[in-house]
Amino acid sequence: MSTTVDRGPAPAPRTVRPLVGVFGAMAISLTGTRVSAIALPWFVLATTGSATMTGLVAFVEMTPYVLVKALTGPMIDRLGPRVVSWTTDAVSAVAAGLIPLLHGVGALPFWLLLVMVGVVGGVRGPGDLAKEVMVPEAADRARIPLERATGLAGVTERLASTVGPAVGGGLIALLGPMAGLTVNAAAFALGSLVIAFALPAGMGRAAAAPEPAAEGAPGEKVGYWQMFREGFTFLRSEPLMLTVIVMIGITNLLDAGFMTVLIPLWAKESGGGPAAIGLSGSAWGIAAVAGSLVAAAVAHRLPRRTVFFAGFLLCGAPRFLVLALDAPMGVVLAVFAVGGFGAGFLNPILGAITFERVPRHLLGRVGALGDSLAWAGIPLGGLLAGSAAALTGLLPVLLAFGGLYLATTTLAGLRPEWREMDRSRGRGAVAGSVPPSTVGAESAAGEPVGSAAR
């Protein structure tokens, strides 16, 4: 008489389709956003001639982005990131498409432009986060280490940052800024379709939480504010993550002013125009892709803290200084390329820290709060840079922003929490995650959190 050993359910077959789908949607929507990031400020600057109004548009876009993103973490966990991603991208496509349409018929006053920009910003926040939340599930299905998936997500983002400025600069130079905004709307629409129809059935569902008393009795529906509070309580208990958020929040504020106001002003005053914006952005992006590829291959073997602060040293203050010195275009491109390479290592490290510390069922809540706090200064960056440039001129603002960037990224490294970067390596994602054996022997969890300099 023979006996049959029950080995449990067979593991799901390995498939890279989820990774391709998620990264494809990220690449499409991010490329459109990067095109818009050049087209929109240039349109406002060219039509109004005001650095302050250019900064105001950036403020109106990013304020809803940050606020809505902070509050939609529980919604992503409850509805599932897939539904949130494709619906928000569809709304973004409509709102972004109305801008060139209304401008074409002469019905786009400045206040209505601000409304459309605010709508796009408000729905883009949860849409971006929802795609990021699906990265670990896609990595599990492909059976690759999460830290490697983080690196590939960084490559995707950096490719978008390369193609977007190049396409944006070329389109604006040839056809005007409204062409770039049309591309942005089309990218949102295509990204929505990819998430809705190209991913495998069952992917991106609502998170399944464990059943301790803190989560309520089995079968009992946890309220929105209780879910929000759980995410906040967890984040408050993580000193390293809080320290990272504060540092990234300051650098993001400075980066926002640099990208939305100072770069366009430099391009206008130097005579380089939108082509100079596109060239510098492409130099940054190509090098950042290279850095992200290296990070995807070897980041899990490198000392995180050393690489992290070295990357910031390369990608931060030198950009401001080279523009302040009115250096030749070749020197500007070289400095941007070196900075981009350093920046390519940042998000994989930040993502690895996130997934090693945050339970899967809390990813939406903690990610939304962490990203929103880290991005809180972005709406103010454009306003601050635009107002300061209007009062003092471009040169003093470049020097002041560069000095603040250098101080932030060097002094912050003296805090003791940073030692946890390497101590926690290999700990793996906590409660609610997949056992390490399903994602590879070298697994160290990770995902871009959207909070590094982009």
Side-chain angles (χ1 to χ4, degrees), residues 104-435:
V105 299
L108 186 66
F110 188 71
W111 68 266
L112 186 54
L113 172 65
L114 295 179
V115 171
M116 294 295 102
V117 168
V119 170
V120 172
V123 296
R124 187 163 65 87
D128 287 352
L129 178 63
K131 295 178 187 64
E132 295 169 6
V133 168
M134 286 189 283
V135 170
E137 181 183 354
D140 293 342
R141 291 177 179 238
R143 297 181 186 173
I144 67 171
L146 283 167
E147 196 164 29
R148 184 159 294 159
T150 297
L152 293 174
V155 172
T156 302
E157 179 191 333
R158 303 306 178 181
L159 280 171
S161 297
T162 303
V163 175
V167 172
L171 278 176
I172 296 169
L174 292 174
L175 302 175
M178 285 298 113
L181 297 176
T182 302
V183 168
N184 185 33
F188 277 126
L190 182 56
S192 175
L193 293 174
V194 169
I195 292 295
F197 298 109
L199 296 184
M203 182 176 174
R205 291 178 176 175
E211 298 182 356
E215 295 284 342
E220 180 181 339
K221 197 170 185 178
V222 179
Y224 170 87
W225 289 111
Q226 182 179 344
M227 294 177 71
F228 186 89
R229 185 168 58 252
E230 288 166 358
F232 179 80
T233 300
F234 179 87
L235 186 60
R236 190 174 57 182
S237 70
E238 286 287 337
L240 174 60
M241 293 184 69
L242 290 174
T243 302
V244 169
I245 286 169
V246 171
M247 173 183 162
I248 300 299
I250 297 172
T251 60
N252 277 345
L253 181 150
L254 299 172
D255 283 325
F258 185 76
M259 293 301 300
T260 61
V261 176
L262 301 184
I263 281 276
L265 278 178
W266 163 76
K268 186 177 181 181
E269 292 185 7
S270 67
I277 304 176
L279 278 174
S280 58
S282 295
W284 175 279
I286 291 170
V289 169
S292 296
L293 285 170
V294 175
V298 302
H300 54 286
R301 298 188 180 97
L302 299 176
R304 286 179 181 165
R305 183 168 56 160
T306 301
V307 173
F308 184 74
F309 285 102
F312 261 121
L313 185 63
L314 294 176
C315 77
R319 292 173 295 153
F320 297 86
L321 182 60
V322 75
L323 297 191
L325 294 176
D326 196 23
M329 192 63 190
V331 177
V332 172
L333 296 180
V335 170
F336 272 61
V338 172
F341 183 80
F345 288 82
L346 300 181
N347 275 353
I349 293 173
L350 292 171
I353 294 169
T354 300
F355 275 120
E356 285 173 350
R357 294 172 176 271
V358 181
R360 288 284 178 90
H361 72 283
L362 292 177
L363 277 177
R365 283 161 273 183
V366 176
L369 285 169
D371 281 9
S372 296
L373 291 171
W375 286 50
I378 290 181
L380 300 175
L383 277 182
L384 180 61
S387 300
L391 289 173
T392 67
L394 178 61
L395 177 60
V397 181
L398 285 169
L399 293 174
F401 273 42
L404 286 171
Y405 211 113
L406 181 62
T408 300
T409 54
T410 53
L411 296 178
L414 301 177
R415 294 192 58 84
E417 293 90 342
W418 295 104
R419 299 190 189 101
E420 296 297 321
M421 269 188 154
D422 291 295
R423 287 178 183 171
S424 62
R425 167 171 259 141
R427 190 172 72 186
V430 284
S433 66
V434 178

Side-chain angles (χ1 to χ4, degrees), residues 73-86:
M75 180 184 72
I76 292 173
D77 287 337
R78 175 168 289 174
L79 299 179
R82 185 174 188 167
V83 170
V84 174
S85 178
W86 76 258

